[in-house]
Amino acid sequence: MTKPNLLELPIGAQLAYLAEGGANVIYRIVSAKSAIASKKELPLAVNGAGPGVVDSYSVPPEFKGKLLRLRKDTPSGIPYQEIARNFDKNIRPLFQPEELVDQELVCLPRGLIQHCNDQLRVAEMDGKRSKRRQGVYLATTEPFGLLITDMTTFNDTGMVLAELKPKWLLQSPSAPATARRCRTCAMRDMKNHEAWTRGKKPERSFCPLDLVSDKFENVLRATRSVKGCKDPKRLAKVLYWNGTMQKLLAHQRAHRDVGLHGPPAQSRDKSLGMTLRDCTMFIKMPRDEVGTVEIRLGDLDLKTGAGGKAKYWLDVEKQMISEGWYLGSKSCSHMSDCALQGSRGHSQPSI
């Protein structure tokens, strides 16, 4: 359950824009000193307070190691109270606290969202906000923010960060028995073919089945394709038989109501199954290889079939089956690194 005594964003808190996606904007809560020192592309948004309060502001202990997530005003946006309830009920029981990018509701002061939106508009006018994000702003009707675990290496030169999406660690239960592509690789082949027809460059990435292989060389094959990873061998050593990855695999196997099988696409079981197949794994490693490695799973907002998503899930699966994408017989398929392809192919049970 959501905690009854909610945190409140303190007076004088300064927010430094960090990043944004289609549904949220992420801010770092900073002290006045670090705000001046950091050269952010976007201006700071300050929780209204007098100059003296801002000048002397320091981040309270309960906010340290946290980022602030604010919700955008989008047609498919889900109120943060509902997101928090779903997380507490469906996700939190599946993992240990140290395995999750935690999230906690925090009350926002009146006027903060409007001030943040003003700053986003200023950034647009200055050409400092991504063009594809322009025109969409924070939801002024959302009274809460979400405090999430900070998995960046901000001000910590002794750590390096790798992140990846494990995706489908097991084959789709509705894939053909003779499949030469796992679900993720079949989907990538299909999208690459569409990109190729439009004259765009195809995407290369790892096969998720390699991440949970019992052979180290297969895990290494996967980590060599992780974007931004400068030490694939070290990352492979961390992920080989990693407990959190194996737990995610087990939960995907348990929540197998995906593909064309199981209950209706709008059901909670299918929503959880798809959520577990679209999370992000953050791996924070010490440069000296002596300290503790921190691995957490994020992007675990419960996915729903609303807004046409349920139909999309079913339509994509039907398309990959009917058009032969699972069989690897289409254009661009020779570029696939799927574990089920060619000499690497092996019996991979569906879930």
PDB file of all heavy atoms in Angstrom, residues 142-165:
ATOM      1  N   GLU A 142      -1.595  16.824 -11.804  1.00  0.00           N
ATOM      2  CA  GLU A 142      -0.938  15.760 -11.031  1.00  0.00           C
ATOM      3  C   GLU A 142      -0.336  16.360  -9.757  1.00  0.00           C
ATOM      4  O   GLU A 142       0.598  17.156  -9.831  1.00  0.00           O
ATOM      5  CB  GLU A 142       0.153  15.094 -11.871  1.00  0.00           C
ATOM      6  CG  GLU A 142       0.994  14.059 -11.137  1.00  0.00           C
ATOM      7  CD  GLU A 142       0.187  12.886 -10.630  1.00  0.00           C
ATOM      8  OE1 GLU A 142      -0.232  12.046 -11.453  1.00  0.00           O
ATOM      9  OE2 GLU A 142      -0.023  12.824  -9.393  1.00  0.00           O
ATOM     10  N   PRO A 143      -0.865  15.984  -8.576  1.00  0.00           N
ATOM     11  CA  PRO A 143      -0.376  16.583  -7.329  1.00  0.00           C
ATOM     12  C   PRO A 143       0.890  15.934  -6.773  1.00  0.00           C
ATOM     13  O   PRO A 143       1.467  16.427  -5.807  1.00  0.00           O
ATOM     14  CB  PRO A 143      -1.547  16.373  -6.364  1.00  0.00           C
ATOM     15  CG  PRO A 143      -2.184  15.105  -6.847  1.00  0.00           C
ATOM     16  CD  PRO A 143      -2.023  15.100  -8.348  1.00  0.00           C
ATOM     17  N   PHE A 144       1.310  14.821  -7.391  1.00  0.00           N
ATOM     18  CA  PHE A 144       2.436  14.075  -6.851  1.00  0.00           C
ATOM     19  C   PHE A 144       3.587  13.957  -7.847  1.00  0.00           C
ATOM     20  O   PHE A 144       3.402  14.058  -9.059  1.00  0.00           O
ATOM     21  CB  PHE A 144       2.010  12.657  -6.448  1.00  0.00           C
ATOM     22  CG  PHE A 144       0.927  12.611  -5.418  1.00  0.00           C
ATOM     23  CD1 PHE A 144      -0.373  12.283  -5.782  1.00  0.00           C
ATOM     24  CD2 PHE A 144       1.193  12.904  -4.088  1.00  0.00           C
ATOM     25  CE1 PHE A 144      -1.387  12.236  -4.835  1.00  0.00           C
ATOM     26  CE2 PHE A 144       0.191  12.863  -3.130  1.00  0.00           C
ATOM     27  CZ  PHE A 144      -1.104  12.532  -3.505  1.00  0.00           C
ATOM     28  N   GLY A 145       4.761  13.736  -7.286  1.00  0.00           N
ATOM     29  CA  GLY A 145       5.905  13.313  -8.061  1.00  0.00           C
ATOM     30  C   GLY A 145       6.300  11.941  -7.549  1.00  0.00           C
ATOM     31  O   GLY A 145       5.727  11.438  -6.577  1.00  0.00           O
ATOM     32  N   LEU A 146       7.259  11.321  -8.199  1.00  0.00           N
ATOM     33  CA  LEU A 146       7.786  10.044  -7.725  1.00  0.00           C
ATOM     34  C   LEU A 146       9.278  10.190  -7.464  1.00  0.00           C
ATOM     35  O   LEU A 146      10.029  10.608  -8.351  1.00  0.00           O
ATOM     36  CB  LEU A 146       7.549   8.939  -8.757  1.00  0.00           C
ATOM     37  CG  LEU A 146       6.145   8.340  -8.837  1.00  0.00           C
ATOM     38  CD1 LEU A 146       6.052   7.370 -10.013  1.00  0.00           C
ATOM     39  CD2 LEU A 146       5.774   7.624  -7.542  1.00  0.00           C
ATOM     40  N   LEU A 147       9.683   9.857  -6.252  1.00  0.00           N
ATOM     41  CA  LEU A 147      11.110   9.801  -5.944  1.00  0.00           C
ATOM     42  C   LEU A 147      11.606   8.428  -6.369  1.00  0.00           C
ATOM     43  O   LEU A 147      11.067   7.402  -5.944  1.00  0.00           O
ATOM     44  CB  LEU A 147      11.350   9.989  -4.447  1.00  0.00           C
ATOM     45  CG  LEU A 147      11.226  11.403  -3.883  1.00  0.00           C
ATOM     46  CD1 LEU A 147      11.461  11.368  -2.379  1.00  0.00           C
ATOM     47  CD2 LEU A 147      12.209  12.350  -4.549  1.00  0.00           C
ATOM     48  N   ILE A 148      12.620   8.398  -7.220  1.00  0.00           N
ATOM     49  CA  ILE A 148      13.146   7.125  -7.701  1.00  0.00           C
ATOM     50  C   ILE A 148      14.635   7.019  -7.377  1.00  0.00           C
ATOM     51  O   ILE A 148      15.331   8.030  -7.245  1.00  0.00           O
ATOM     52  CB  ILE A 148      12.920   6.961  -9.218  1.00  0.00           C
ATOM     53  CG1 ILE A 148      13.634   8.066 -10.005  1.00  0.00           C
ATOM     54  CG2 ILE A 148      11.432   6.946  -9.537  1.00  0.00           C
ATOM     55  CD1 ILE A 148      13.562   7.883 -11.514  1.00  0.00           C
ATOM     56  N   THR A 149      15.108   5.807  -7.235  1.00  0.00           N
ATOM     57  CA  THR A 149      16.516   5.566  -6.938  1.00  0.00           C
ATOM     58  C   THR A 149      17.395   6.144  -8.037  1.00  0.00           C
ATOM     59  O   THR A 149      17.154   5.917  -9.220  1.00  0.00           O
ATOM     60  CB  THR A 149      16.790   4.056  -6.815  1.00  0.00           C
ATOM     61  OG1 THR A 149      15.858   3.477  -5.898  1.00  0.00           O
ATOM     62  CG2 THR A 149      18.211   3.805  -6.323  1.00  0.00           C
ATOM     63  N   ASP A 150      18.404   6.888  -7.636  1.00  0.00           N
ATOM     64  CA  ASP A 150      19.341   7.486  -8.597  1.00  0.00           C
ATOM     65  C   ASP A 150      20.392   6.448  -8.986  1.00  0.00           C
ATOM     66  O   ASP A 150      21.260   6.100  -8.193  1.00  0.00           O
ATOM     67  CB  ASP A 150      20.007   8.712  -7.968  1.00  0.00           C
ATOM     68  CG  ASP A 150      20.926   9.440  -8.948  1.00  0.00           C
ATOM     69  OD1 ASP A 150      21.032   9.003 -10.109  1.00  0.00           O
ATOM     70  OD2 ASP A 150      21.533  10.451  -8.536  1.00  0.00           O
ATOM     71  N   MET A 151      20.299   5.959 -10.216  1.00  0.00           N
ATOM     72  CA  MET A 151      21.276   4.981 -10.696  1.00  0.00           C
ATOM     73  C   MET A 151      22.281   5.611 -11.650  1.00  0.00           C
ATOM     74  O   MET A 151      22.984   4.906 -12.381  1.00  0.00           O
ATOM     75  CB  MET A 151      20.556   3.811 -11.366  1.00  0.00           C
ATOM     76  CG  MET A 151      19.882   2.864 -10.386  1.00  0.00           C
ATOM     77  SD  MET A 151      21.027   2.088  -9.217  1.00  0.00           S
ATOM     78  CE  MET A 151      21.886   0.935 -10.300  1.00  0.00           C
ATOM     79  N   THR A 152      22.367   6.936 -11.649  1.00  0.00           N
ATOM     80  CA  THR A 152      23.388   7.601 -12.452  1.00  0.00           C
ATOM     81  C   THR A 152      24.700   7.604 -11.668  1.00  0.00           C
ATOM     82  O   THR A 152      24.739   7.254 -10.487  1.00  0.00           O
ATOM     83  CB  THR A 152      22.993   9.050 -12.785  1.00  0.00           C
ATOM     84  OG1 THR A 152      23.040   9.845 -11.588  1.00  0.00           O
ATOM     85  CG2 THR A 152      21.586   9.113 -13.373  1.00  0.00           C
ATOM     86  N   THR A 153      25.764   8.016 -12.321  1.00  0.00           N
ATOM     87  CA  THR A 153      27.072   8.104 -11.654  1.00  0.00           C
ATOM     88  C   THR A 153      27.435   9.564 -11.394  1.00  0.00           C
ATOM     89  O   THR A 153      28.604   9.927 -11.358  1.00  0.00           O
ATOM     90  CB  THR A 153      28.159   7.436 -12.515  1.00  0.00           C
ATOM     91  OG1 THR A 153      28.162   8.043 -13.819  1.00  0.00           O
ATOM     92  CG2 THR A 153      27.898   5.947 -12.657  1.00  0.00           C
ATOM     93  N   PHE A 154      26.425  10.391 -11.191  1.00  0.00           N
ATOM     94  CA  PHE A 154      26.610  11.822 -10.970  1.00  0.00           C
ATOM     95  C   PHE A 154      27.570  12.082  -9.809  1.00  0.00           C
ATOM     96  O   PHE A 154      27.387  11.579  -8.704  1.00  0.00           O
ATOM     97  CB  PHE A 154      25.251  12.459 -10.678  1.00  0.00           C
ATOM     98  CG  PHE A 154      25.296  13.935 -10.427  1.00  0.00           C
ATOM     99  CD1 PHE A 154      25.556  14.818 -11.460  1.00  0.00           C
ATOM    100  CD2 PHE A 154      25.072  14.438  -9.158  1.00  0.00           C
ATOM    101  CE1 PHE A 154      25.588  16.185 -11.234  1.00  0.00           C
ATOM    102  CE2 PHE A 154      25.098  15.803  -8.921  1.00  0.00           C
ATOM    103  CZ  PHE A 154      25.360  16.678  -9.962  1.00  0.00           C
ATOM    104  N   ASN A 155      28.612  12.864 -10.066  1.00  0.00           N
ATOM    105  CA  ASN A 155      29.602  13.236  -9.051  1.00  0.00           C
ATOM    106  C   ASN A 155      30.303  12.032  -8.423  1.00  0.00           C
ATOM    107  O   ASN A 155      30.809  12.116  -7.305  1.00  0.00           O
ATOM    108  CB  ASN A 155      28.953  14.079  -7.935  1.00  0.00           C
ATOM    109  CG  ASN A 155      28.828  15.543  -8.335  1.00  0.00           C
ATOM    110  OD1 ASN A 155      29.368  15.964  -9.355  1.00  0.00           O
ATOM    111  ND2 ASN A 155      28.111  16.313  -7.537  1.00  0.00           N
ATOM    112  N   ASP A 156      30.293  10.902  -9.106  1.00  0.00           N
ATOM    113  CA  ASP A 156      30.959   9.711  -8.575  1.00  0.00           C
ATOM    114  C   ASP A 156      31.848   9.128  -9.670  1.00  0.00           C
ATOM    115  O   ASP A 156      31.445   8.240 -10.418  1.00  0.00           O
ATOM    116  CB  ASP A 156      29.927   8.681  -8.114  1.00  0.00           C
ATOM    117  CG  ASP A 156      30.555   7.556  -7.301  1.00  0.00           C
ATOM    118  OD1 ASP A 156      31.806   7.472  -7.277  1.00  0.00           O
ATOM    119  OD2 ASP A 156      29.809   6.768  -6.696  1.00  0.00           O
ATOM    120  N   THR A 157      33.051   9.642  -9.757  1.00  0.00           N
ATOM    121  CA  THR A 157      33.967   9.221 -10.820  1.00  0.00           C
ATOM    122  C   THR A 157      34.488   7.806 -10.618  1.00  0.00           C
ATOM    123  O   THR A 157      35.104   7.236 -11.516  1.00  0.00           O
ATOM    124  CB  THR A 157      35.166  10.184 -10.902  1.00  0.00           C
ATOM    125  OG1 THR A 157      35.818  10.229  -9.619  1.00  0.00           O
ATOM    126  CG2 THR A 157      34.704  11.592 -11.270  1.00  0.00           C
ATOM    127  N   GLY A 158      34.223   7.235  -9.454  1.00  0.00           N
ATOM    128  CA  GLY A 158      34.703   5.885  -9.183  1.00  0.00           C
ATOM    129  C   GLY A 158      33.764   4.796  -9.671  1.00  0.00           C
ATOM    130  O   GLY A 158      34.053   3.609  -9.499  1.00  0.00           O
ATOM    131  N   MET A 159      32.636   5.187 -10.276  1.00  0.00           N
ATOM    132  CA  MET A 159      31.656   4.203 -10.734  1.00  0.00           C
ATOM    133  C   MET A 159      31.394   4.349 -12.227  1.00  0.00           C
ATOM    134  O   MET A 159      31.520   5.440 -12.794  1.00  0.00           O
ATOM    135  CB  MET A 159      30.331   4.383  -9.976  1.00  0.00           C
ATOM    136  CG  MET A 159      30.430   4.254  -8.466  1.00  0.00           C
ATOM    137  SD  MET A 159      30.869   2.588  -7.906  1.00  0.00           S
ATOM    138  CE  MET A 159      29.334   1.713  -8.226  1.00  0.00           C
ATOM    139  N   VAL A 160      31.037   3.249 -12.858  1.00  0.00           N
ATOM    140  CA  VAL A 160      30.612   3.259 -14.260  1.00  0.00           C
ATOM    141  C   VAL A 160      29.235   2.609 -14.335  1.00  0.00           C
ATOM    142  O   VAL A 160      28.904   1.728 -13.536  1.00  0.00           O
ATOM    143  CB  VAL A 160      31.606   2.506 -15.176  1.00  0.00           C
ATOM    144  CG1 VAL A 160      32.918   3.246 -15.253  1.00  0.00           C
ATOM    145  CG2 VAL A 160      31.816   1.077 -14.695  1.00  0.00           C
ATOM    146  N   LEU A 161      28.445   3.060 -15.293  1.00  0.00           N
ATOM    147  CA  LEU A 161      27.070   2.566 -15.418  1.00  0.00           C
ATOM    148  C   LEU A 161      26.855   1.893 -16.763  1.00  0.00           C
ATOM    149  O   LEU A 161      27.282   2.395 -17.799  1.00  0.00           O
ATOM    150  CB  LEU A 161      26.080   3.726 -15.267  1.00  0.00           C
ATOM    151  CG  LEU A 161      24.597   3.385 -15.464  1.00  0.00           C
ATOM    152  CD1 LEU A 161      24.101   2.502 -14.323  1.00  0.00           C
ATOM    153  CD2 LEU A 161      23.755   4.659 -15.556  1.00  0.00           C
ATOM    154  N   ALA A 162      26.204   0.749 -16.724  1.00  0.00           N
ATOM    155  CA  ALA A 162      25.741   0.087 -17.946  1.00  0.00           C
ATOM    156  C   ALA A 162      24.244  -0.132 -17.786  1.00  0.00           C
ATOM    157  O   ALA A 162      23.758  -0.372 -16.677  1.00  0.00           O
ATOM    158  CB  ALA A 162      26.454  -1.248 -18.147  1.00  0.00           C
ATOM    159  N   GLU A 163      23.521  -0.022 -18.872  1.00  0.00           N
ATOM    160  CA  GLU A 163      22.089  -0.306 -18.806  1.00  0.00           C
ATOM    161  C   GLU A 163      21.642  -1.029 -20.065  1.00  0.00           C
ATOM    162  O   GLU A 163      22.185  -0.819 -21.154  1.00  0.00           O
ATOM    163  CB  GLU A 163      21.272   0.965 -18.586  1.00  0.00           C
ATOM    164  CG  GLU A 163      21.393   2.025 -19.652  1.00  0.00           C
ATOM    165  CD  GLU A 163      20.538   3.247 -19.320  1.00  0.00           C
ATOM    166  OE1 GLU A 163      19.348   3.252 -19.702  1.00  0.00           O
ATOM    167  OE2 GLU A 163      21.058   4.182 -18.684  1.00  0.00           O
ATOM    168  N   LEU A 164      20.665  -1.897 -19.892  1.00  0.00           N
ATOM    169  CA  LEU A 164      20.166  -2.686 -21.013  1.00  0.00           C
ATOM    170  C   LEU A 164      18.729  -3.102 -20.733  1.00  0.00           C
ATOM    171  O   LEU A 164      18.275  -3.089 -19.588  1.00  0.00           O
ATOM    172  CB  LEU A 164      21.046  -3.918 -21.237  1.00  0.00           C
ATOM    173  CG  LEU A 164      21.224  -4.875 -20.050  1.00  0.00           C
ATOM    174  CD1 LEU A 164      20.162  -5.977 -20.058  1.00  0.00           C
ATOM    175  CD2 LEU A 164      22.604  -5.514 -20.073  1.00  0.00           C
ATOM    176  N   LYS A 165      18.032  -3.465 -21.793  1.00  0.00           N
ATOM    177  CA  LYS A 165      16.683  -4.007 -21.664  1.00  0.00           C
ATOM    178  C   LYS A 165      16.751  -5.512 -21.917  1.00  0.00           C
ATOM    179  O   LYS A 165      17.000  -5.930 -23.048  1.00  0.00           O
ATOM    180  CB  LYS A 165      15.739  -3.333 -22.663  1.00  0.00           C
ATOM    181  CG  LYS A 165      15.199  -1.987 -22.191  1.00  0.00           C
ATOM    182  CD  LYS A 165      14.123  -1.480 -23.122  1.00  0.00           C
ATOM    183  CE  LYS A 165      13.363  -0.301 -22.525  1.00  0.00           C
ATOM    184  NZ  LYS A 165      12.531  -0.652 -21.362  1.00  0.00           N
TER     185      LYS A 165
END
